[in-house]
Amino acid sequence: MTASTIQSDLATLGNATIAAHSQRFFKTGAGQYGDGDVFRGIRVPALRRVAWASRKLPLTETLLLLQSPYHEDRFVALCIMVHGFQRGDDTQQGVIYRAYLHHTRWVNSWDLVDTSAHKIVGPYLTHRNRAPLYALAESDLLWERRIAIMATLHFIRSNDFGDTLRIAALLLSDPHDLIHKAVGWMLREVGKRTFKAQDSFMRKYYRTMPRVMLRYAIERYPEELRQAYLKGTVPCEP
């Protein structure tokens, strides 16, 4: 099995109608975040089946697949990398982690980040120095900044919130709404586990955070408190 054989299989699954819809949904027009991306037109469940059937693809071939111009090919490659990471030993996980960070230019859409960052980067850094996340958070590349915050979902699920909150603070002034949404989402995930930690962060920063981030973060708040945040009447904390 090679990257080329998988691409041939994927080509047979393509659907022009689905591809056209995906081109619009993923904002592939000039100047949009997905500018230039192309699609075969394959639904996610079918892509996951292909990835599972191809899970033993060598990493060298997987990285070739990751560099495909087709969005779905890159999605399959990342799923294969996740499979490899989850079944690998510490050495193998390190190889996949480093390969992932070396190829972030091809992890270039929100769904590609969201299907992989918290399953590769987060787990690898759980018991290691997490400085790489802060370097990613300060990157000029949109997708690396999203990787930084999304990777912390793995920590959140273990009731480890510090890095999420620190990276969220770093990204408060980010110019892109895809970062605003991701940060708001992760703050909401923190709040599912500890309202106190989330609300302390919100009271400190909510008046300066982007509106989309605020709305995502407080989506599960009691309605009266949610409205107070939206109206800016909640007292700020130092």
Side-chain angles (χ1 to χ4, degrees):
M1 184 183 297
T2 65
S4 295
T5 58
I6 294 173
Q7 288 179 296
S8 296
D9 291 342
L10 290 169
T12 67
L13 299 174
N15 179 288
T17 301
I18 296 173
H21 175 268
S22 296
Q23 297 280 154
R24 295 189 298 272
F25 181 76
F26 284 95
K27 310 294 185 185
T28 61
Q32 295 181 305
Y33 71 78
D35 189 352
D37 206 356
V38 292
F39 290 78
R40 296 187 186 276
I42 309 171
R43 302 291 190 195
V44 168
L47 294 174
R48 292 196 181 279
R49 288 193 292 272
V50 171
W52 178 253
S54 309
R55 62 190 182 278
K56 294 185 179 179
L57 186 72
L59 182 59
T60 52
E61 291 294 323
T62 304
L63 294 175
L64 289 176
L65 185 62
L66 182 60
Q67 296 171 60
S68 169
Y70 288 100
H71 188 105
E72 293 94 339
D73 298 14
R74 301 196 300 279
F75 186 94
V76 169
L78 289 166
C79 289
I80 293 171
M81 291 178 75
V82 168
H83 288 316
F85 184 92
Q86 291 175 338
R87 71 172 187 266
D89 61 20
D90 190 67
T91 298
Q92 292 166 323
Q93 289 180 344
V95 170
I96 292 171
Y97 163 80
R98 288 186 288 273
Y100 182 90
L101 290 188
H102 189 66
H103 290 79
T104 51
R105 61 176 292 189
W106 290 283
V107 189
N108 58 349
S109 186
W110 57 265
D111 63 317
L112 302 182
V113 172
D114 297 0
T115 202
S116 59
H118 69 292
K119 296 179 180 179
I120 295 176
V121 179
Y124 188 75
L125 295 178
T126 295
H127 301 297
R128 294 179 172 86
N129 188 313
R130 298 178 184 177
L133 292 179
Y134 295 85
L136 290 167
E138 295 176 355
S139 171
D140 291 334
L141 186 64
L142 162 65
W143 307 117
E144 290 191 341
R145 301 197 303 277
R146 186 160 176 125
I147 287 169
I149 189 66
M150 289 304 304
T152 70
L153 179 56
H154 181 79
F155 309 149
I156 293 171
R157 288 174 174 171
S158 298
N159 294 316
D160 178 357
F161 312 119
D163 291 289
T164 302
L165 298 176
R166 285 187 286 272
I167 291 171
L170 288 175
L171 295 174
L172 284 172
S173 60
D174 196 280
H176 207 290
D177 71 337
L178 286 175
I179 300 300
H180 305 167
K181 292 174 181 177
V183 171
W185 175 15
M186 291 303 101
L187 290 173
R188 188 171 73 238
E189 290 296 320
V190 170
K192 287 179 183 179
R193 293 155 179 85
T194 167
F195 178 80
K196 181 178 179 181
Q198 182 194 3
D199 202 55
S200 177
F201 183 94
M202 298 304 299
R203 286 174 184 268
K204 184 175 183 178
Y205 293 113
Y206 88 98
R207 286 183 178 167
T208 58
M209 68 173 51
R211 196 69 170 177
V212 170
M213 188 185 297
L214 173 62
R215 287 185 177 276
Y216 269 60
I218 63 175
E219 190 175 89
R220 294 169 59 92
Y221 270 36
E223 185 60 19
E224 184 177 349
L225 181 57
R226 192 178 75 85
Q227 288 299 327
Y229 269 107
L230 291 174
K231 293 173 184 176
T233 59
V234 177
C236 287
E237 292 183 356

